[in-house]
Amino acid sequence: MKKLLIVVDMQNDFIDGSLGTKEAEAVVPAVKEKIKAYEEAGDEVVFTMDTHFEDYLDTQEGRNLPVKHCIKDSHGWMLHESLKDFSGKRFEKRAFGSVECGQYAAGGNYESVELVGLCTDICVISNAMLIKSMSPELTVIVDGRCCAGVTPQSHENALKAMKMCQIMAGPNKEA
């Protein structure tokens, strides 16, 4: 059985753009290495992409987070330069979690699903919880070394919350 790696929202706006952080910039090399390792092992890699439109500030999310980001086809919406050439299905999502990606993971007969990316405390946790809810017997892993949250504290809080929900979340797979 194959494994699935889901690379969550490794887009310019979350790394060094309108919502970027130094922690997000710091995980890019580790995410790139993780993708390479999965590909070399013959496992599957897919990507989620936060996708908004020009009316973003008029949406519920935009009213709560009034910072335009990941506007479809903009530079900020694109995957980070070091990751954009990797192949793998792309799931555009308008919400924190991607139901389509969750269904894909739950229906793929995978040995395990691992998530990496941004932001641990919003989109990574949302997608991990969605997948765990759709497929409770599937091993779901979040490698905290390949994730960054809005803040370091919220990153740690998200990892702890996922552990409570039987998601293997921490600095490594054994956590």
Side-chain angles (χ1 to χ4, degrees):
M1 284 184 9
K2 282 189 170 182
K3 297 177 182 180
L4 175 66
L5 176 66
I6 300 174
V7 181
V8 178
D9 299 357
M10 289 297 294
Q11 295 159 269
N12 291 319
D13 273 346
F14 291 125
I15 295 169
D16 56 11
S18 60
L19 293 172
T21 64
K22 67 182 187 318
E23 292 85 9
E25 289 181 43
V27 301
V28 172
V31 170
K32 185 176 180 180
E33 289 306 310
K34 179 78 72 169
I35 295 168
K36 284 181 180 178
Y38 266 74
E39 287 187 343
E40 289 170 3
D43 291 316
E44 188 174 359
V45 179
V46 300
F47 299 81
T48 68
M49 296 184 70
D50 197 42
T51 303
H52 301 294
F53 301 92
E54 286 301 327
D55 69 343
Y56 172 76
L57 295 176
D58 297 325
T59 66
Q60 181 176 345
E61 181 183 329
R63 288 187 296 275
N64 286 292
L65 177 64
V67 178
K68 272 190 166 185
H69 64 281
C70 297
I71 305 301
K72 186 171 172 95
D73 297 324
S74 70
H75 174 74
W77 175 77
M78 295 178 190
L79 289 175
H80 187 268
E81 183 68 26
S82 67
L83 306 176
K84 69 178 180 139
D85 292 330
F86 284 108
S87 61
K89 187 169 179 57
R90 268 64 166 167
F91 293 94
E92 294 180 17
K93 60 184 188 60
R94 295 186 69 182
F96 301 136
S98 170
V99 172
E100 184 184 7
C101 185
Q103 291 169 332
Y104 186 85
N109 197 30
Y110 295 103
E111 176 184 328
S112 64
V113 174
E114 184 169 8
L115 294 92
V116 298
L118 306 169
C119 294
T120 320
D121 45 344
I122 302 173
C123 294
V124 174
I125 192 173
S126 294
N127 283 287
M129 296 292 287
L130 197 142
I131 292 164
K132 193 65 175 170
S133 295
M134 289 179 168
S135 194
E137 296 302 315
L138 180 61
T139 299
V140 179
I141 302 161
V142 174
D143 185 346
R145 297 169 303 172
C146 296
C147 296
V150 173
T151 68
Q153 181 62 41
S154 62
H155 166 79
E156 291 299 324
N157 289 344
L159 293 174
K160 288 176 186 173
M162 287 185 277
K163 281 183 183 181
M164 294 300 294
C165 295
Q166 299 178 4
I167 293 166
M168 297 172 68
N172 56 51
K173 288 185 188 180
E174 292 74 42

